[in-house]
Amino acid sequence: MNNLGSIPDDAIPAVATRRLTEDAAGIAAAASLLRAGQVVAFPTETVYGLGADATDPAAVAKIFAAKARPRFNPLIAHLADTEAAFAQGFFDDAARSLAAAFWPGPLTLVVPSAPGCRVCDLARAGLPSVALRVPAPDLTRALLAQVGRPVAAPSANRSGRVSPTNADHVLADLEGRIAAVLDGGETPVGVESTVVACLGGVPRLLRPGGVTREALEARLGFALAGPERGDTAHPVGPGLLASHYAPRAQVRLEATAAAPDEVALLFGPHPLPGADAAQARLNLSPTGDLAEAAARLFSALRQLDGLGAPVIAVAPIPERGLGEAINDRLRRAAAPR
């Protein structure tokens, strides 16, 4: 398949990126641009998404070009409400149960595409399935309602880099490459949506995220299966590449100490030996609150990476609850590139 990751920066026509306000005029302007085939970043409860009309292959291609994103990685289609999402895919009993419990919210369901699915083949990466989500914020759903079509939206950053949790992060990566960003302030969850595949058999947890494994399994009444180990170069869902969310610095996980030439990413009240002598340190949550840590993760990675140190030393973070999603993102950030 063609890989747009090789597109040079000068091959993307420069545009004047507008910064739109989160009022009726800003929402209307963003919706108008999306209906016209342009690419617009907008906030969700998780991170900022880079949106385009999911029914228009030419518009979706602009997402791949702006992000320098491989074509084989499918995109999430965002809908204004559950009924609109149900029209795009086939939802078995498990998928309907999860949708009823967690939509609107930070959950993406990968389901077989319906015969009348409007999400184009390019957004689905040629797969017979479709990734669907109904986001929670009123601002986001008002925008989607005005667009009136599924909106494909991966995270609004260059492919593989740290995901954005405010409009400044978006502009740092994509200014001049997209039509506009709808500025809705900081996103409250701070890590991407959980992705669950309901494609027959036991639902599979493809990516941990804003809805915890424990909450999903409590709803279903049984344990989720894990992702299938196979061809990771051609993932069935979004956000599954081994190297992802990557700062420029090397990320060193489970650090028991920090060196003077490193920067330190801390968690909880316990000190990390050497952190006081490191170039800089940030604590995701001094009290050990995993929800606070998730909300601050990408912003902290960007801030530390901007200091230019060669290594970000990351203190251990518990694997329970939202810690599973945090550690998933950190492992992808630390993966070989």
Side-chain angles (χ1 to χ4, degrees):
M1 288 189 182
N2 186 22
N3 186 332
L4 288 183
S6 61
I7 290 181
D9 284 351
D10 59 8
I12 308 299
V15 297
T17 302
R18 299 169 61 186
R19 188 173 193 143
L20 303 173
T21 54
E22 56 176 328
D23 53 15
I27 294 169
S32 178
L33 288 167
L34 287 167
R35 288 195 303 270
Q38 297 301 310
V39 178
V40 176
F42 60 89
T44 73
E45 72 274 39
T46 57
V47 299
Y48 274 68
L50 185 59
D53 180 355
T55 72
D56 180 356
V60 172
K62 293 178 183 178
I63 294 177
F64 291 113
K67 285 178 64 73
R69 182 186 179 103
R71 281 188 188 270
F72 53 67
N73 203 0
L75 306 180
I76 298 171
H78 294 68
L79 289 304
D81 55 57
T82 300
E83 288 306 313
F86 283 174
Q88 306 304 318
F90 173 74
F91 286 69
D92 61 15
D93 289 344
R96 285 184 175 271
S97 178
L98 293 175
F102 300 109
W103 278 357
L107 174 67
T108 294
L109 294 172
V110 179
V111 298
S113 57
C117 180
R118 300 182 67 197
V119 179
C120 70
D121 185 72
L122 181 60
R124 293 187 287 114
L127 297 170
S129 55
V130 60
L132 302 169
R133 180 158 102 83
V134 180
D138 292 340
L139 170 66
T140 312
R141 287 186 288 123
L143 171 64
L144 295 170
Q146 287 199 30
V147 176
R149 306 163 193 167
V151 172
S155 57
N157 53 278
R158 297 285 192 103
S159 186
R161 294 191 185 170
V162 179
S163 299
T165 56
N166 61 45
D168 288 339
H169 294 163
V170 174
L171 292 171
D173 261 11
L174 298 175
E175 186 164 18
R177 300 172 71 90
I178 63 175
V181 55
L182 180 61
D183 188 347
E186 292 283 341
T187 61
V189 175
V191 293
E192 292 85 357
S193 61
T194 302
V195 180
V196 175
C198 296
L199 297 170
V202 177
R204 291 188 285 122
L205 179 63
L206 300 183
R207 179 180 76 182
V211 178
T212 66
R213 176 194 297 269
E214 293 88 343
L216 295 165
E217 292 179 346
R219 175 67 178 185
L220 292 171
F222 55 80
L224 292 162
E228 291 181 349
R229 305 300 177 187
D231 185 6
T232 57
H234 299 85
V236 70
L240 303 182
L241 298 180
S243 178
H244 208 49
Y245 318 108
R248 293 173 178 81
Q250 178 186 345
V251 176
R252 185 166 65 86
L253 303 179
E254 301 290 332
T256 56
D261 63 339
E262 296 179 333
V263 291
L265 186 62
L266 311 178
F267 175 80
H270 305 296
L272 184 70
D276 288 345
Q279 290 189 27
R281 62 188 185 277
L282 288 175
N283 197 320
L284 291 174
S285 176
T287 63
D289 184 321
L290 289 168
E292 179 184 25
R296 298 184 63 190
L297 175 64
F298 289 136
S299 181
L301 282 174
R302 282 178 175 268
Q303 187 174 342
L304 290 174
D305 196 40
L307 299 176
V311 175
I312 301 173
V314 182
I317 295 171
E319 195 72 22
R320 67 179 185 274
L322 281 173
E324 183 178 15
I326 295 169
N327 284 311
D328 172 79
R329 303 312 189 271
L330 287 170
R331 283 189 288 269
R332 295 175 193 274
R337 307 162 204 168

